[in-house]
Amino acid sequence: MKHVKALIMKFVMSAVVLGTVFTGIYNYDFSDSILIGLVLTVLAYALGDLLVYRNAADDSDYKKETLLLQFLILFYLF
């Protein structure tokens, strides 16, 4: 169920942006914008969420390094 919810959310967000840009500005057909949004949603979900995020989510060393990097950046800024 969480996969379906994530896919729907990604599709709605990309369809709104692509529909606004392609249909509103460049006068593409709305169906073409929806088709491009659908293809991009499936590719982004398959490559990003299922492959990259799943492998990086369980690594506690990664979280520690990210926290340290964020602290150093904030320390440098202030």
Side-chain angles (χ1 to χ4, degrees):
M1 182 65 184
K2 66 180 183 177
H3 294 288
V4 174
K5 184 179 175 184
L7 275 169
I8 290 172
M9 287 174 54
K10 279 185 181 292
F11 175 70
V12 168
M13 288 187 294
S14 65
V16 166
V17 171
L18 290 172
T20 302
V21 172
F22 286 147
T23 306
I25 297 173
Y26 294 113
N27 295 326
Y28 277 77
D29 289 335
F30 185 71
S31 60
D32 291 341
S33 298
I34 295 296
L35 182 62
I36 292 170
L38 184 64
V39 170
L40 286 177
T41 300
V42 170
L43 287 175
Y45 185 74
L47 294 175
D49 291 352
L50 295 180
L51 294 176
V52 175
Y53 292 146
R54 185 163 294 178
N55 292 332
D58 295 330
D59 192 9
S60 63
D61 291 334
Y62 175 75
K63 292 176 185 175
K64 290 177 186 176
E65 291 173 2
T66 304
L67 183 63
L68 179 65
L69 182 63
Q70 289 174 355
F71 174 75
L72 291 174
I73 289 171
L74 287 174
F75 184 75
Y76 177 74
L77 289 175
F78 295 110

